């Protein structure tokens, strides 16, 4: 189904699909391969569209292309148009359903993976291309800011709340609270402290502290672990959950997190023990204010809420954050 035009009059559906493919691939050259057209032809099509609408959708640099602030807003509208046309085609032309797309960036949370598994296990689609990135906090924010991801999952605490709120506002991102968690310690089931029902922070001083490294943005405001400013004699930085869990077992180390563990995904070698602390973790997800979530991203959020509720947490409503009384207060 094509949006017909006289040349130079208005944009076409094909041009919108070109833009979406470039963003999905991350480069014009890779998008051209996927679209089976030459790179110069694709570049010219983008430039023609930019001239027609009077907006630079992409910023061109020596390192490649990136969406401009106007391009991010344009992309949101383009996705809506393309999605609606595809629904019309499926309804009235019995066309092949489009490949379902969804991209999530998250801190290292088992519940985020479990929700992703549940989403795809029940997805009634012949084709889909979904991405789940467990990554650094700064990169989560950048992924959602530049629409490389639909949703980013991270947490607020009293320590990072003010700084992260300012960063999100500057990036035109919105934080949506999901649930409040008490700090817990992840340790091996064979750890000397494994029999305790409640741990004091001083109990951990003799053992290696494991934390997820944050790269060049290794500020404590970006740390995934609460109480990250507390000095410790032994500290190991890792980049993935599998390595962290191996070190928890092999070195009798520990890490501080939300307490949500999934034995189906993480096995039975790690346990969660409550840590006595006045700190709280407000875990939620971020979205781009200029973008409309896809139906698949919306479905993922519903899966997140179900998984959280199944773990026994109270799922927070948007009104809990908009009422003027912050959940962390």
């Amino acid at each position: 189904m094509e949006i017909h035009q006289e040349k130079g009059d208005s944009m076409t559906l094909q041009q919108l699909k070109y833009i979406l493919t470039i963003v999905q691939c991350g480069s014009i050259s890779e998008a051209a391969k996927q679209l089976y057209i030459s790179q110069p032809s694709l570049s010219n099509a983008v430039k023609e569209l930019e001239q027609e609408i009077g907006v630079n959708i992409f910023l061109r640099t020596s390192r490649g292309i990136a969406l401009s602030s106007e391009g991010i807003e344009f992309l949101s509208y383009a996705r809506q148009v393309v999605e609606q046309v595809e629904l019309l085609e499926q309804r009235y032309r019995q066309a092949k359903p489009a490949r379902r797309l969804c991209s999530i960036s998250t801190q290292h949370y088992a519940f985020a993976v479990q929700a992703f598994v549940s989403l795809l296990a029940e997805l009634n689609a012949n084709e889909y291309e979904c991405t789940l990135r467990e990554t650094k906090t700064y990169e989560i924010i950048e992924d959602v800011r530049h629409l490389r991801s639909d949703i980013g999952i991270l947490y607020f605490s009293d320590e990072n709340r003010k700084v992260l709120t300012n960063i999100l506002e500057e990036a035109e991102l919105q934080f949506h609270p999901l649930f409040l968690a008490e700090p817990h310690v992840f340790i091996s089931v064979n750890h000397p402290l494994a029999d305790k029902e409640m741990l004091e922070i001083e109990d951990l001083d003799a053992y290696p502290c494991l934390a997820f490294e944050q790269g060049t943005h290794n500020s404590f405001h970006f740390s995934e672990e609460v109480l990250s400013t507390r000095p410790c004699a032994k500290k190991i930085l890792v980049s993935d959950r599998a390595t962290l869990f191996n070190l928890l077992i092999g070195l009798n180390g520990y890490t501080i997190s939300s307490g949500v563990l999934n034995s189906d995904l993480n096995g039975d070698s790690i346990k969660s023990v409550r840590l006595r602390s006045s700190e709280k973790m407000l875990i939620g997800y971020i979205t781009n204010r200029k973008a409309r979530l896809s139906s698949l991203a919306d479905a993922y959020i519903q899966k997140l809420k179900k998984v959280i509720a199944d773990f026994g947490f109270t799922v927070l409503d948007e009104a809990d954050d908009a009422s003027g009384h912050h959940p962390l207060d």
Side-chain angles (χ1 to χ4, degrees):
M1 184 178 292
E2 184 62 72
I3 301 175
H4 295 289
Q5 68 167 44
E6 295 296 327
K7 183 173 176 58
D9 275 354
S10 60
M11 68 188 75
T12 67
L13 180 63
Q14 188 62 61
Q15 286 174 314
L16 300 184
K17 290 182 176 180
Y18 284 169
I19 299 299
L20 295 183
T21 304
I22 292 169
V23 172
Q24 179 188 340
C25 294
S27 72
I28 291 180
S29 59
E30 190 61 35
K33 293 177 184 176
Q34 186 168 319
L35 292 164
Y36 301 103
I37 61 175
S38 69
Q39 183 173 337
S41 296
L42 182 56
S43 296
N44 289 335
V46 173
K47 289 177 182 177
E48 287 178 5
L49 176 58
E50 290 178 322
Q51 290 171 358
E52 288 172 10
I53 64 177
V55 165
N56 288 325
I57 299 172
F58 294 107
L59 300 174
R60 280 88 172 169
T61 69
S62 58
R63 293 181 296 176
I65 61 169
L67 280 169
S68 67
S69 57
E70 295 89 351
I72 290 174
E73 186 172 9
F74 178 86
L75 182 65
S76 177
Y77 286 109
R79 280 178 169 167
Q80 292 181 51
V81 171
V82 171
E83 191 174 80
Q84 291 302 312
V85 170
E86 287 173 346
L87 288 172
L88 281 172
E89 289 181 331
Q90 292 170 35
R91 173 67 178 84
Y92 294 105
R93 288 188 174 182
Q94 288 78 50
K96 177 183 177 182
R99 175 178 293 185
R100 305 289 299 278
L101 301 173
C102 183
S103 183
I104 310 297
S105 291
T106 178
Q107 292 177 329
H108 299 76
Y109 295 129
F111 67 84
V113 178
Q114 185 175 341
F116 194 77
V117 170
S118 178
L119 175 74
L120 298 188
E122 297 178 14
L123 184 60
N124 184 23
N126 293 325
E127 295 184 16
Y128 58 76
E129 184 172 323
C130 297
T131 304
L132 179 66
R133 300 185 189 92
E134 286 192 335
T135 188
K136 304 173 181 66
T137 303
Y138 178 82
E139 291 180 5
I140 292 170
I141 295 170
E142 288 296 289
D143 281 348
V144 180
R145 179 181 186 177
H146 295 291
L147 298 182
R148 291 189 290 267
S149 288
D150 304 281
I151 296 166
I153 302 171
L154 45 74
Y155 84 98
F156 279 3
S157 68
D158 288 333
E159 288 184 332
N160 69 17
R161 170 181 160 192
K162 185 175 181 180
V163 171
L164 288 187
T165 296
N166 289 337
I167 291 172
L168 296 181
E169 286 179 353
E170 289 176 6
E172 298 189 75
L173 305 178
Q174 183 174 0
F175 180 81
H176 309 263
L178 282 170
F179 68 105
L180 271 174
E182 307 280 353
H184 283 67
V185 179
F186 288 172
I187 54 177
S188 163
V189 293
N190 298 315
H191 193 283
L193 301 174
D195 292 334
K196 291 202 172 188
E197 294 185 3
M198 176 79 73
L199 290 173
E200 307 293 338
I201 190 67
E202 294 78 15
D203 294 335
L204 304 169
D205 286 344
Y207 304 99
C209 173
L210 300 173
F212 290 107
E213 59 98 12
Q214 298 296 325
T216 56
H217 299 275
N218 205 14
S219 161
F220 74 88
H221 294 116
F222 291 115
S223 173
E224 291 192 37
E225 299 80 28
V226 290
L227 305 173
S228 61
T229 56
R230 186 178 186 275
C232 54
K234 305 172 184 177
K235 190 162 189 176
I236 303 171
L237 299 178
V238 300
S239 60
D240 65 88
R241 278 192 301 134
T243 299
L244 183 140
F245 284 168
N246 287 337
L247 293 175
L248 288 184
I249 296 169
L251 296 176
N252 275 338
Y254 73 91
T255 191
I256 302 175
S257 189
S258 64
V260 181
L261 274 174
N262 183 310
S263 59
D264 291 338
L265 298 176
N266 304 128
D268 298 315
S269 299
I270 304 295
K271 71 175 298 184
S272 175
V273 182
R274 175 82 168 84
L275 178 67
R276 194 187 306 278
S277 172
S278 60
E279 284 284 346
K280 297 280 195 302
M281 298 177 67
L282 176 61
I283 300 174
Y285 64 95
I286 58 174
T287 57
N288 194 308
R289 293 182 185 275
K290 294 182 177 180
R292 173 180 173 269
L293 290 180
S294 67
S295 57
L296 198 55
D298 276 327
Y300 177 72
I301 292 171
Q302 297 310 309
K303 289 295 183 185
L304 267 181
K305 292 180 177 179
K306 184 179 186 307
V307 168
I308 290 163
D310 289 345
F311 274 108
F313 291 94
T314 299
V315 178
L316 299 175
D317 190 88
E318 292 285 343
D320 295 321
D321 197 43
S323 62
H325 177 72
H326 198 277
L328 283 174
D329 292 335

